[in-house]
Amino acid sequence: MSKLPNLFKNNREWAASVNAIDPGFFEKLSSQQAPEYLWIGCSDSRVPANQIVGLLPGEVFVHRNVANMVVHSDFNCLSVLQYAVEVLQVKHVLVVGHYDCGGVRAAYHNSDNGMIDNWLRNIKDVQFTHRAELMGLATDQQRIDRLVELNVRSQVAHVCQTAIVQKAWGRGQSLTVHGWVYSLLDGLLKDLECTVDSQEGLEPEYRIDC
Ligand code: CO
């Protein structure tokens, strides 16, 4: 059975290079983590959180899944969010989608993909909600790119709708939720400017008394 020696070699070289630049880096980091950011992004191998925003180990807490979803019943994502907000006290939640997302493309089309369609159904609902706008665009590619943006906006709203985030605001904790999209073509991020930093940014129906 292969033990993937190339990856262990890479790892030793990486650790040595970090230590060469900052001796004691790992010892310092091992005693605490205090990231300011929670990244909620897509699992796509081309969208690695730390590299894209130039952050070192210890600087960003990361949750990734297919199509950067925040589903109200997903205890995995909600556990990450709770720990990041309540224990690590991150200042910013970054919901980061990307153009050419395979998950969004699969949701957009009507083919049968098996079990994952249940996960992607949330994006289908976003597509349905915004069908008039999407049908006004000329090509499937344009509609999928727009759906990527609309999905990020929807997931930003889902983050804000959680009791975790609303209670943080209620305590007076500084917490800002951002929606960004990354382009695989040029490596650049775009701010969708749907930032929310208080309960005022939520529709009244979603506000929790806290
Ligand atoms: Co993706």
Side-chain angles (χ1 to χ4, degrees), residues 146-188:
R146 182 59 181 149
L147 186 54
V148 164
E149 297 177 350
L150 293 168
N151 180 49
V152 168
R153 297 179 77 96
S154 176
Q155 306 317 318
V156 165
H158 289 171
V159 171
C160 299
Q161 288 160 9
T162 62
I164 298 162
V165 167
Q166 294 195 48
K167 284 178 180 174
W169 286 331
R171 292 190 296 270
Q173 193 173 327
S174 171
L175 183 64
T176 307
V177 185
H178 308 257
W180 298 350
V181 178
Y182 175 78
S183 170
L184 299 172
L185 293 174
D186 59 14
L188 295 177

Side-chain angles (χ1 to χ4, degrees), residues 107-149:
Y108 173 83
H109 291 299
N110 291 85
S111 51
D112 178 3
N113 304 293
M115 188 278 298
I116 197 171
D117 285 334
N118 294 284
W119 181 252
L120 299 176
R121 242 299 300 281
N122 296 281
I123 305 175
K124 182 62 88 179
D125 293 342
V126 176
Q127 180 185 356
F128 181 74
T129 301
H130 296 277
R131 64 193 184 284
E133 179 190 344
L134 292 168
M135 291 313 291
L137 298 169
T139 66
D140 278 343
Q141 189 60 51
Q142 287 173 324
R143 292 184 202 124
I144 291 168
D145 283 348
R146 182 59 181 149
L147 186 54
V148 164
E149 297 177 350

